Amino acid sequence: MLLSAVGAVGCVLWGVGPYPPLVTETGLAALAVVFAAAWIVASCRAPQHAGSLPGKGRVVVWLVAWLVPLATMACFILGFMVSPEYGRETERLDAARFGPYEVTVARLAADPVRGDNASDEPVFFETDLVLRVPYDSGPREVTVPRMYTRYEPPKAGTRIDIYYAPGDPRPDSPVVQDGRRRDSGVLGSGMLILGLFPVVCAGVVLTGALAHGMPRGARRYAPPVHLPAFGILLVGLLLLLPAALGWEAGGQARPAALLSCVTPGVALAWIWRSSFTQQRRGRRPGQGPRPFPDPDPSEAGDEDGEQR
């Protein structure tokens, strides 16, 4: 269950799917839901024997402590992921060697217009130009509006830098002066730097908090503790679904994905708070049996070893 969730989050952060639909990520998330449901069903059928979360000791603590901030970051990234159309166009242009090249001005399509600039800025001109662009299939003349040049107006024969794809056979293949395109995923992009510091801080804080104060009942299935948390996470996945699969959803896919950022933290906070509540109630006299079964001797040994 936890490993499937880690796999889904890791695929989003790594950019395995460069653009929606994110089939691998969605499949791993669905698998984590199935495993979680199976754990709940098995715990209900045999609560005294099958109620413990998979894994022991520090493994679960580390997985949960780092999975929550990383999952939050993955939700945030999905909120800003490119559309399927943009992703397919980027893939097509990359295959056709889209990038910066220097080409020749064939002629001017309109008179140069001097731009408004401050006194300490260089003079620039905006001109509609007809460029002679060498494609793999042969040279073409392409009209590009509002081309920017510094210091003096362009003229026929001037060399100018543009972005285009030499191997793209389409007549409407983009020819632009600034052709920088958005990256997919988070690794190698500016989001890594922006998101690394808060993720590391949150992971360190949660690791310390869970290692020293994680309630015993948080790892044993109890409906008042785990069912609401499972429902919160399921709502978060449903909010992410339109963005992950590339559905328009009336323009609400991105806000829904950003809203899902809070669900991992809210689910963990619910488990933490309700586990302490259930634990305190279980210690009061006259309240019936404890809500959590007694721990396995092996788990008690692990925890005693960690305390020593």
Side-chain angles (χ1 to χ4, degrees):
M1 175 178 66
L2 291 176
L3 292 180
S4 298
V6 169
V9 171
C11 288
V12 172
L13 297 180
W14 190 266
V16 171
Y19 56 87
L22 305 179
V23 178
T24 302
E25 293 84 344
T26 305
L28 287 172
L31 194 61
V33 172
V34 171
F35 285 151
W39 174 66
I40 291 174
V41 172
S43 302
C44 291
R45 293 173 63 89
Q48 298 296 324
H49 304 285
S52 179
L53 276 171
K56 289 184 180 293
R58 296 178 181 177
V59 176
V60 173
V61 169
W62 276 85
L63 280 177
V64 173
W66 288 95
L67 183 60
V68 169
L70 287 173
T72 302
M73 187 178 182
C75 295
F76 182 79
I77 290 169
L78 284 175
F80 291 96
M81 181 161 278
V82 300
S83 66
E85 294 77 14
Y86 187 95
R88 285 191 290 268
E89 177 69 7
T90 300
E91 197 172 59
R92 185 183 298 113
L93 291 175
D94 287 343
R97 308 188 309 280
F98 183 79
Y101 299 90
E102 190 178 58
V103 298
T104 303
V105 176
R107 58 185 180 276
L108 275 64
D111 295 331
V113 177
R114 179 168 176 164
D116 297 330
N117 61 297
S119 58
D120 58 342
E121 295 178 355
V123 176
F124 69 93
F125 295 86
E126 289 184 347
T127 315
D128 296 346
L129 299 177
V130 179
L131 305 178
R132 188 175 295 109
V133 183
Y135 285 89
D136 293 348
S137 58
R140 306 180 205 165
E141 289 192 351
V142 180
T143 302
V144 183
R146 300 174 65 89
M147 291 291 291
Y148 172 92
T149 54
R150 285 185 175 184
Y151 304 114
E152 59 184 22
K155 56 185 178 181
T158 301
R159 303 286 291 178
I160 194 168
D161 293 326
I162 62 167
Y163 282 77
Y164 83 104
D168 192 350
R170 297 174 298 170
D172 59 345
S173 179
V175 178
V176 293
Q177 195 161 28
D178 185 0
R180 293 171 295 181
R181 301 184 71 82
R182 290 177 55 188
D183 295 327
S184 62
V186 64
L187 294 181
S189 68
M191 280 191 179
L192 177 61
I193 300 174
L194 295 176
L196 186 61
F197 181 73
V199 165
V200 170
C201 291
V204 170
V205 171
L206 286 176
T207 300
L210 295 178
H212 296 288
M214 187 176 186
R216 186 185 301 274
R219 292 182 56 195
R220 289 286 189 174
Y221 174 73
V225 176
H226 294 95
L227 283 183
F230 181 71
I232 292 170
L233 293 176
L234 195 58
V235 169
L237 289 177
L238 292 176
L239 290 173
L240 284 174
L241 202 59
L245 297 181
W247 299 340
E248 292 296 333
Q252 300 302 313
R254 179 171 294 182
L258 294 176
L259 183 61
S260 70
C261 292
V262 303
T263 56
V266 171
L268 179 60
W270 175 270
I271 291 177
W272 183 282
R273 179 179 180 277
S274 56
S275 295
F276 273 121
T277 302
Q278 291 290 318
Q279 202 169 51
R280 287 196 300 268
R281 288 178 179 174
R283 291 175 180 172
R284 293 177 184 173
Q287 295 293 325
R290 294 176 62 88
F292 304 107
D294 293 333
D296 294 336
S298 59
E299 292 185 6
D302 290 343
E303 293 177 0
D304 292 342
E306 291 177 11
Q307 292 176 0
R308 290 195 299 267

